Amino acid sequence: MTPQQFFLILRARWLVLLVTFALVVGATATWSLLSPRQYTATASVVLDVKSPDPVSGMMLAGLMAPGYMATQVDIIKSDRVARRVVRSLRMDSSAAVQAQWAEDTGGRGNLVDWLSERIKLPLEVKPSRESNVINIEYVGNDPQFAAAVANAFAQAYVDVNVELRTEPARQYAGFFDEQTRAARERLEKAQAALSDYQQRHGITSVDERLDFETAKLNETSSQLTAIQASTTDSQSKRLRNDGASLAEVMQSPLINGLKADIARQEARLNEASINLGANHPQFQRMQTELNALREQLSAETTKITGSINTTYEVNRQREGQLRAALEAQKARVLEINQQRDQINVLRREIESAQRLFDTLSGRASQSTLESQTNQTNISVLNPATPPGKPSGPRTRLHVALAMFLGGLLGVMLAMALEFLQRRVRSADDLALFGELPLLGQVSSARRMMRAPRLAKGGA
């Protein structure tokens, strides 16, 4: 279809086009004028995503997530927030609302749920693109009611946000309280086990006892080494055949005195043998004294060598005693080492239980504090005020749209009628009926009648 054919059809069907246009525009204008006025109230809330958590002091990574704002929008539109709005405005206590609910639902279901679904219909939540501000818009017939509902949604959103943070904290607090009690019982059992072990073995300080017993072991070992050396020396002395050459004999003052007396007596005896002779009584007396001195020297030497044997026997006995004492002391030190190892195991168990108890106690305290907080990162930026001018219906916009749609509908209706009753309106339309020869073209009757009128007027 050519543009000429299109305009010819519109000129021929102008009445249909005009009637359709007038009906659509008139109906839209009438509806806009008769519709009740609507008022839009807007409350703004701001989300602080950069401040740290007031309890833990840590930045929450979830606040910086790309879907955080979308999540907050969904929370505002949630049934939980809507039910809180219904309860805060006491809409469920209205007799008219209850009657309407009974009429619509027949008394089935919950009144608050029914109201929350209806009150969400005029709600619109618009987050800002480049900021952390969310605008809560509510449309109503009463400006006061619209502002009240918008503010109620903003406050309910803040309250629900606090609840969403405190409810998990309460659950965590209960869980950590139970775990803390279990950790405390474990710590008390570990401490009781250590105390029982110390009381059973009479231990006050393992380290001090170990130091004392180790020093005693070292002292016993030193005594044993010394007595072994003395025993070896005594054994070597007692095995010698010549007792006179022993150091004890040679260093004895009595032995040395007797030897000196014997030497003097021998000198006197030699002098007497020359001067008096061997049969002289004085010589014999001196010989008797010399023999007595020699016997005394031999007896003293025998006493000293006998004391060496006695020392050897005593040293051997003492060595046996020290060996037994050393073995007993070694066993005692090993026993104390085992006790210390066991006590260290019990102490490590106490330390582990203490660390677990401290960690759980800290988490329980933090969770309890978080469950009691009423702080949130959301604040009401601009509360809604009753609008002075209605936001709808937008008559001018509706009429403009109606004019466009009415014209389009009129064109479509004219074209539909034309195709239902197809007519030849130009020479180009003959192509639709096949290759028919064009013999001539008759102008419009109005144009033919206009020409004689013009001629008469000129005459």
Side-chain angles (χ1 to χ4, degrees), residues 278-290:
N279 294 322
H280 192 276
Q282 186 176 358
F283 177 82
Q284 291 179 354
R285 182 177 59 79
M286 293 175 65
Q287 183 68 41
T288 302
E289 290 178 354
L290 178 60

Side-chain angles (χ1 to χ4, degrees), residues 87-134:
R87 293 190 179 96
S88 64
L89 296 178
R90 298 181 179 179
M91 300 174 63
D92 53 338
S93 61
S94 174
V97 173
Q98 294 176 0
Q100 185 178 0
W101 167 71
E103 181 181 354
D104 291 346
T105 63
R108 294 185 298 272
N110 186 274
L111 173 60
V112 175
D113 294 337
W114 178 78
L115 280 173
S116 63
E117 290 295 332
R118 292 178 63 88
I119 202 173
K120 287 192 303 180
L121 296 178
L123 177 67
E124 187 172 359
V125 182
K126 297 180 179 179
S128 300
R129 293 184 178 180
E130 298 180 358
S131 67
N132 298 325
V133 176
I134 299 178

Side-chain angles (χ1 to χ4, degrees), residues 11 57 71-72 137 185 221 244 297 331 412 425:
R11 189 177 65 176
T71 302
Q72 301 308 307
E137 297 182 356
E185 293 177 358
S221 179
L297 176 63
M412 294 174 62
R425 300 190 182 277

Side-chain angles (χ1 to χ4, degrees), residues 260-275:
D261 291 340
I262 289 173
R264 285 192 300 270
Q265 190 67 23
E266 287 177 348
R268 290 172 61 189
L269 185 63
N270 289 332
E271 183 180 358
S273 66
I274 296 173
N275 295 328

Side-chain angles (χ1 to χ4, degrees), residues 370-425:
E370 290 178 354
S371 65
Q372 296 175 355
T373 185
N374 56 358
Q375 302 297 322
T376 181
N377 64 325
I378 302 171
S379 302
V380 177
L381 181 62
N382 295 318
T385 57
K389 296 181 179 180
S391 60
R394 304 174 66 178
T395 305
R396 294 182 180 180
L397 177 61
H398 293 166
V399 170
L401 292 176
M403 292 174 66
F404 172 76
L405 295 177
L408 180 61
L409 183 60
V411 171
M412 294 174 62
L413 184 58
M415 296 301 295
L417 293 175
E418 181 67 21
F419 283 111
L420 290 176
Q421 297 179 359
R422 194 70 174 96
R423 297 183 180 183
V424 178
R425 300 190 182 277

Side-chain angles (χ1 to χ4, degrees), residues 234 237-238 240 242-259 296-312:
S234 299
K237 288 178 180 180
R238 67 187 291 270
R240 297 181 64 176
D242 187 9
S245 62
L246 294 176
E248 287 80 0
V249 175
M250 296 180 66
Q251 295 175 0
S252 174
L254 180 59
I255 296 296
N256 291 330
L258 289 174
K259 287 181 178 182
Q296 186 179 359
L297 176 63
S298 177
E300 293 296 331
T301 302
T302 302
K303 286 181 181 180
I304 292 175
T305 56
S307 67
I308 292 176
N309 290 332
T310 303
T311 302
Y312 171 73

Side-chain angles (χ1 to χ4, degrees), residues 8-175:
L8 289 175
I9 294 173
L10 293 182
R11 189 177 65 176
R13 303 286 184 178
W14 67 270
L15 185 58
V16 174
L17 177 61
L18 181 60
V19 171
T20 303
F21 178 81
L23 289 176
V24 172
V25 173
T28 303
T30 303
W31 173 81
S32 298
L33 293 174
L34 296 179
S35 296
R37 295 293 180 262
Q38 294 181 342
Y39 298 88
T40 302
T42 303
S44 300
V45 294
V46 60
L47 284 70
D48 186 6
V49 298
K50 295 184 179 180
S51 297
D53 185 80
V55 177
S56 63
M58 299 175 59
M59 292 294 296
L60 300 179
L63 300 180
M64 305 301 294
Y68 179 73
M69 294 295 289
T71 302
Q72 301 308 307
V73 171
D74 292 338
I75 293 175
I76 297 174
K77 295 180 178 180
S78 65
D79 294 337
R80 184 170 182 174
V81 173
R83 284 193 292 269
R84 181 176 285 272
V85 170
V86 171
R87 293 190 179 96
S88 64
L89 296 178
R90 298 181 179 179
M91 300 174 63
D92 53 338
S93 61
S94 174
V97 173
Q98 294 176 0
Q100 185 178 0
W101 167 71
E103 181 181 354
D104 291 346
T105 63
R108 294 185 298 272
N110 186 274
L111 173 60
V112 175
D113 294 337
W114 178 78
L115 280 173
S116 63
E117 290 295 332
R118 292 178 63 88
I119 202 173
K120 287 192 303 180
L121 296 178
L123 177 67
E124 187 172 359
V125 182
K126 297 180 179 179
S128 300
R129 293 184 178 180
E130 298 180 358
S131 67
N132 298 325
V133 176
I134 299 178
N135 296 318
I136 302 175
E137 297 182 356
Y138 193 82
V139 180
N141 297 332
D142 185 4
Q144 301 291 338
F145 178 76
V149 174
N151 289 328
F153 265 101
Q155 187 59 44
Y157 166 57
V158 175
D159 296 339
V160 168
N161 190 273
V162 173
E163 291 177 357
L164 292 176
R165 296 184 60 185
T166 57
E167 287 178 357
R170 292 192 188 97
Q171 297 176 359
Y172 292 150
F175 170 76

